[in-house]
Amino acid sequence: MTLSSRYPCRFSTLLLSVVLALSVVVPAWGLTVPAPPPIAARAYILQDFNSGRILASEHATERVEPASLTKLLTAYIVFKELREGRLRLGDKVLISEKAWRTPGSRTFVEVGSKVPVEQLLQGVIVQSGNDATVALAEHIAGSEAVFAGLMNQQAAALGLAGSHFVNSTGLPHADHYTTAQDLATLTRALIKDFPEYYRWYSQREFTYNGIRQHNRNKLLWRDSTVDGVKTGHTESAGYCLVASALRDEMRLISVVVGTKSENARARESQALLNYGFRFFETHRLYGAGETVSRARIWKGARASLPLGLGDDLYITLPRGQYDRLQAALKVRDPLIAPAVKGRPYGQLVLSLAGKPVVQKPLLALDDVPEGSFFDRLSDEIRLWFE
């Protein structure tokens, strides 16, 4: 049921005490939420996937070495190439000597062989194979150096302001860096934009060339709600893990960078996820383009204008606070035709404990052209008396 059907709205500010959604949680609410557990990592962040709300973080915007978490961006670009039709899963990739000689984790592809893109992707995602990663980079861009340029272009497009990449694998380099916050942003985009390929991140093992290797993400075995995402490790970066879990339609993303061991990165990630699911909840209120209210519009071909939001609206807030939310619909007064679809004509203001916490523009969901001469004259008279 929409707001307009429950509470008829004309054109002035309408206060509603209803269950609504917000996209931020503000400490000024004065609500009691325990501090996150101590996390033994160089940097970390915990973020809700749908609302984007950051639930816990430390040193999240400081520069860190990503190690094989770099491969999240490499895979994103490969997925994009697949979606745009420039690459197919069955395409055969020629393995160069450079790819074959790349040090670190391996899928054990053989130089001179031709391997399907799909198998190389599984090698990248499940085994973190540097050889498979370089092979894909070379196939897409001609060389790994050119592919790194694509990575930085894509990073900029995704808003990864604290990142710079010089290779596709995450092997150490002074100019190869990111932040925990950028890694969370990248992971949100990967899951949202490519759900059809994200399933590979929950794959526990992959066998290539007769060699079976297990996914290094220990949480895939310890927590049935975890379905990804990626591990990373170098001597200088420490042990890193981006994890994601889905419980009761609430998805969280955790990033821990620079822990001391494989067990430590799994343990600290689990602690963050458990904290988020225990003390917060996320709800979906409205979909993009869904009618929130109908406002009175004057001098138009119709007397009402449907108003809604440009994006899906989700709420993340401390558990137990959902029923305390209030909303105010503030619509232009008077609202005069013509109205143009997609333009803002008001605001949805959400508050808790009397304090505004988020504002969203209310957009016209339809065009309302000017009415006839009689309609305009009639409404002009009515407005005069109003």
Side-chain angles (χ1 to χ4, degrees), residues 122 124-128 199-206 212-221 227-231 241 262 265:
Q122 289 175 280
V124 171
I125 293 169
V126 182
Q127 301 170 335
S128 199
R199 59 183 174 83
W200 279 321
Y201 286 94
S202 63
Q203 189 170 324
R204 294 184 178 184
E205 63 180 39
F206 176 61
R212 183 174 66 176
Q213 296 186 70
H214 291 91
N215 195 316
R216 295 177 179 86
N217 183 359
K218 292 179 179 292
L219 293 186
L220 294 176
W221 283 267
D227 55 12
V229 182
K230 188 74 187 71
T231 62
L241 175 60
E262 288 190 21
R265 69 185 175 192

Side-chain angles (χ1 to χ4, degrees), residues 58-217:
E58 189 169 56
H59 308 306
T61 59
E62 294 184 8
R63 185 178 294 183
V64 294
E65 184 182 333
S68 283
L69 301 182
T70 299
K71 296 182 177 79
L72 290 169
L73 183 55
T74 300
Y76 187 98
I77 293 173
V78 177
F79 297 157
K80 187 176 179 181
E81 292 290 305
L82 289 167
R83 174 166 293 178
E84 294 180 357
R86 292 188 291 268
L87 191 66
R88 295 174 298 179
L89 289 175
D91 288 350
K92 297 293 184 66
V93 176
L94 178 65
I95 307 302
S96 70
E97 184 171 351
K98 180 182 185 297
W100 176 69
R101 289 187 180 276
T102 304
S105 302
R106 303 181 63 80
T107 299
F108 296 100
V109 293
E110 297 180 354
V111 63
S113 63
K114 293 184 177 181
V115 183
V117 168
E118 183 171 359
Q119 290 188 316
L120 290 175
L121 266 173
Q122 289 175 280
V124 171
I125 293 169
V126 182
Q127 301 170 335
S128 199
N130 287 342
D131 49 357
T133 304
V134 173
L136 283 170
E138 292 178 333
H139 184 74
I140 289 171
S143 72
E144 190 179 17
V146 175
F147 187 83
L150 292 178
M151 294 175 75
N152 289 313
Q153 290 176 7
Q154 186 63 63
L158 292 172
L160 311 185
S163 300
H164 185 263
F165 303 92
V166 298
N167 61 59
S168 61
T169 60
L171 289 173
H173 190 286
D175 290 328
H176 191 94
Y177 54 82
T178 188
T179 68
Q181 183 168 297
D182 280 0
L183 288 168
T185 300
L186 170 59
T187 303
R188 284 186 72 207
L190 187 149
I191 297 173
K192 179 181 179 181
D193 295 346
F194 303 107
E196 68 272 34
Y197 302 125
Y198 177 66
R199 59 183 174 83
W200 279 321
Y201 286 94
S202 63
Q203 189 170 324
R204 294 184 178 184
E205 63 180 39
F206 176 61
T207 300
Y208 181 79
N209 203 16
I211 302 171
R212 183 174 66 176
Q213 296 186 70
H214 291 91
N215 195 316
R216 295 177 179 86
N217 183 359

Side-chain angles (χ1 to χ4, degrees), residues 298-314:
W298 302 88
K299 304 183 182 181
R302 299 196 306 273
S304 68
L305 173 67
L307 298 172
L309 304 174
D311 299 300
D312 291 348
L313 185 57
Y314 285 86

